Amino acid sequence: MPNERLRDTLLRNGLTLQQVAEVTDVDPKTVERWITKGRIPYPKHRHKIAAMARESESYLWPDSVSPERKAQTAAAELVSMFPHRNAIPTDLWDRIIGKSEKTIDVLAHAALFLVERPRFTKDLITKAETGAKIRLLFGDPDSGSVRIRGEEEDLGDGTLKARIHNALTYYRPLRNVDGVEIRFHDTTLYNSVFRFDDEMIVNTHAYGLQGAHAPALHLRRLSVGGLFETYAESFEAVWNLAKPAVF
């Protein structure tokens, strides 16, 4: 079976068969077989390809890593856990946002706390102009899922909808910036996801609690880990269901 993940990753990063062959010191036809026939490269080759493509081995070759090793690595991906999102130090947000250069993904309902940072939207514009891919997913203010979440968190009628509209006013300058795409989702938000390159904050959600008061995980992606990849794939699933944001 062809390895479509590997094919897509190479195309997305502008990598040719020849470039991969040179890095791994194999014939280009061997690289082609890794893609078209789904052959699994030796570990030393997988490491090099994953590094040059900035993808995890467990994503590119899911069957190449034993369940035991995936479990061990997943534990290592958890840098720290916070009892609630408000406990995350400001300097941690400053560092992971500031260091990001390639990928910024946000999945939330409003994430109003992000735009309370004075330079956040300006920093996103600067990063997009230097080549970062930025994808922002907000709850559809008029959706049933937003109404239900507002009720579950006991926010009061229309409060969450108002928060989303409030947050969106800060993002208006991003609407026509190349490299930035904004969508609305109407899904049950099990977790809010804030990805900055290979680091991620996952704000879990607990019934009856506002997101700021629910636990949060700080993850750092490892080559054969599966925890970071689980939330990254969840983001992709929601992104594919979402619609362009009009505001």
Side-chain angles (χ1 to χ4, degrees):
M1 181 181 295
N3 188 332
E4 297 298 342
R5 289 187 176 186
L6 179 57
R7 187 199 309 273
D8 176 72
T9 298
L10 297 183
L11 288 172
R12 186 163 19 96
N13 287 278
L15 298 171
T16 66
L17 299 184
Q18 184 62 41
Q19 287 174 311
V20 176
E22 290 175 358
V23 168
T24 54
D25 195 24
V26 300
D27 189 276
K29 290 188 179 298
T30 299
V31 180
E32 185 176 6
R33 286 192 288 271
W34 291 342
I35 297 172
T36 60
K37 297 185 181 298
R39 303 274 178 83
I40 298 178
Y42 290 124
K44 63 179 181 180
H45 295 147
R46 296 200 303 267
H47 298 337
K48 291 178 179 178
I49 297 171
M52 71 186 297
R54 299 188 68 177
E55 275 291 357
S56 68
E57 289 182 55
S58 57
Y59 172 77
L60 295 174
W61 301 280
D63 299 328
S64 67
V65 184
S66 69
E68 294 78 11
R69 189 181 178 200
K70 283 184 179 179
Q72 292 171 351
T73 309
E77 286 186 304
L78 178 59
V79 179
S80 53
M81 182 172 182
F82 301 92
H84 47 86
R85 195 193 69 219
N86 277 353
I88 299 175
T90 300
D91 61 350
L92 173 56
W93 286 109
D94 289 341
R95 184 182 61 78
I96 62 176
I97 292 171
K99 281 181 56 181
S100 58
E101 298 177 343
K102 185 177 180 181
T103 302
I104 297 175
D105 290 334
V106 172
L107 167 60
H109 273 139
L112 193 56
F113 74 96
L114 284 178
V115 289
E116 289 172 350
R117 310 174 69 81
R119 287 198 50 83
F120 184 65
T121 52
K122 292 180 181 178
D123 286 343
L124 292 186
I125 292 173
T126 300
K127 290 178 182 298
E129 290 174 344
T130 55
K133 179 181 180 182
I134 299 170
R135 298 182 296 177
L136 307 175
L137 272 169
F138 300 107
D140 185 340
D142 298 316
S143 68
S145 62
V146 165
R147 177 183 57 79
I148 292 171
R149 178 54 63 87
E151 293 173 356
E152 292 174 347
E153 294 185 0
D154 197 25
L155 292 174
D157 186 37
T159 301
L160 182 53
K161 176 179 180 178
R163 282 187 181 179
I164 295 171
H165 281 300
N166 188 14
L168 290 173
T169 60
Y170 292 90
Y171 289 98
R172 290 186 185 278
L174 299 174
R175 288 181 297 178
N176 298 312
V177 175
D178 289 340
V180 178
E181 192 170 355
I182 305 174
R183 295 185 183 182
F184 284 156
H185 69 88
D186 182 18
T187 57
T188 301
L189 190 64
Y190 298 106
N191 302 281
S192 294
V193 176
F194 308 94
R195 176 183 178 178
F196 301 92
D197 287 348
D198 291 333
E199 294 193 64
M200 180 186 291
I201 300 294
V202 177
N203 186 187
T204 66
H205 292 293
Y207 187 91
L209 295 179
Q210 296 181 32
H213 302 145
L217 313 175
H218 174 204
L219 307 179
R220 182 176 290 121
R221 187 185 204 179
L222 297 178
S223 181
V224 296
L227 189 57
F228 186 103
E229 204 60 52
T230 294
Y231 290 108
E233 290 186 7
S234 178
F235 178 93
E236 294 296 338
V238 179
W239 182 259
N240 292 332
L241 290 172
K243 62 183 181 182
V246 178
F247 63 97

